[in-house]
């Protein structure tokens, strides 16, 4: 076996390794390295179909790698304090909601979460309003049986970005780092809800003498 064949075998080994990986960032990196090795081999044996095939794949793998690295970075930023859902925008769909429309009721099966882009939504069980930039419904992913812990009603017409739990789970399984930061983010949400409950219980009822 000469050194040209060795490069070809290296490309083959890297391609097989990429196919066997379950996490996306290492998979994309190995796939890019495999393409570089195969392109080199293709030039050395003067096989333009081999070169062309790999050159077409490189931009796709590079874009997906960049997309996943950006996602991890943005989720890490969100977990450190910026609790925006903008980092999930590429994975959601925008939907309009009218006044009085019930997005979900307490006890309903939970399948998606929402990022409010406009309008006003209310959680009647807590008397809370969710306005532009607010996030609601993500805790259903972690609740027992994936059921809603409260209801959500539209009180002022608007739009919300809907992100399905299936997409979140797919990202979670494909990238453990994303999963870690998403759990950290949802834990922060849970603590915020607990603080609101505590504050409401501690506040004097209407008519109480201060």
């Amino acid at each position: 076996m000469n050194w040209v064949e060795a490069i070809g075998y290296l490309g083959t080994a890297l391609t097989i390794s990429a196919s066997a990986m379950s996490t996306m960032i290492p998979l994309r990196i190995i796939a890019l390295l495999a393409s570089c090795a195969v392109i080199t081999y293709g030039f050395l044996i003067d096989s333009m179909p081999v070169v062309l095939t790999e050159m077409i794949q490189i931009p796709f793998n590079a874009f997906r790698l960049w997309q996943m690295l950006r996602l991890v970075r943005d989720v890490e930023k969100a977990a450190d304090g910026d609790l925006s859902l903008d980092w999930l925008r590429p994975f959601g769909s925008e939907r309009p909601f009218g006044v009085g429309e019930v997005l979900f009721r307490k006890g309903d099966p939970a399948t998606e979460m929402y990022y409010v882009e406009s309008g006003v939504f209310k959680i009647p069980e807590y008397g809370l309003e969710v306005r532009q930039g607010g996030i609601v419904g993500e805790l259903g992913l972690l609740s027992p049986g994936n059921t809603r812990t409260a209801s959500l009603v539209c009180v002022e017409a608007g739009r919300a970005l809907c992100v399905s739990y299936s997409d979140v789970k797919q990202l979670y399984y494909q990238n453990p780092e994303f999963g870690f930061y998403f759990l950290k983010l949802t834990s922060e949400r849970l603590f915020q809800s607990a603080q609101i409950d505590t504050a409401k219980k501690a506040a004097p009822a209407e008519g109480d003498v201060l």
Side-chain angles (χ1 to χ4, degrees):
M1 181 177 65
N2 58 38
W3 65 275
V4 175
E5 290 179 329
I7 293 176
Y9 284 123
L10 174 63
T12 299
L14 289 172
T15 300
I16 294 172
S17 297
S19 300
M21 290 183 173
S22 59
T23 53
M24 294 305 295
I25 290 180
L27 185 155
R28 299 298 179 184
I29 293 174
I30 297 300
L32 287 170
L33 293 175
S35 292
C36 291
V38 174
I39 287 173
T40 302
Y41 177 71
F43 275 120
L44 291 173
I45 64 173
D46 196 25
S47 176
M48 292 311 297
V50 171
V51 173
L52 182 61
T53 299
E54 295 302 321
M55 289 187 69
I56 291 174
Q57 292 188 57
I58 282 180
F60 290 104
N61 282 317
F63 174 75
R64 292 300 184 186
L65 175 61
W66 171 81
Q67 188 180 46
M68 189 59 69
L69 289 173
R70 186 185 65 174
L71 177 64
V72 171
R73 180 201 64 197
D74 291 345
V75 176
E76 181 177 3
K77 180 181 177 182
D80 286 338
D82 178 10
L83 300 180
S84 169
L85 241 185
D86 286 340
W87 45 271
L88 272 179
R89 187 174 297 278
F91 305 95
S93 58
E94 191 180 81
R95 283 165 47 189
F97 296 96
V99 176
E101 186 172 352
V102 178
L103 282 71
F104 54 79
R105 301 181 187 277
K106 184 176 181 179
D108 284 351
T111 58
E112 59 188 2
M113 56 187 182
Y114 303 86
Y115 172 66
V116 177
E117 298 186 323
S118 63
V120 180
F121 299 80
K122 188 173 183 178
I123 304 174
E125 289 84 354
Y126 296 99
L128 297 177
E129 289 186 346
V130 185
R131 297 177 178 270
Q132 183 177 5
I135 303 170
V136 64
E138 81 284 359
L139 292 180
L141 178 61
L142 305 177
S143 66
N146 292 132
T147 57
R148 297 295 184 188
T149 58
S151 306
L152 185 66
V153 181
C154 180
V155 295
E156 182 180 307
R159 306 181 71 87
L161 181 72
C162 309
V163 183
S164 71
Y165 291 163
S166 60
D167 287 336
V168 175
K169 288 178 180 178
Q170 183 179 7
L171 291 168
Y172 179 92
Y173 290 124
Q174 288 179 347
N175 192 331
E177 190 173 4
F178 166 83
F180 171 78
Y181 287 117
F182 180 76
L183 287 176
K184 185 177 178 182
L185 178 62
T186 52
S187 297
E188 180 69 20
R189 300 278 181 210
L190 190 59
F191 284 127
Q192 287 180 344
S193 299
Q195 289 173 353
I196 291 173
D197 286 341
T198 302
K200 288 182 64 177
K201 292 176 181 178
E206 185 178 353
D208 285 352
V209 178
L210 297 180

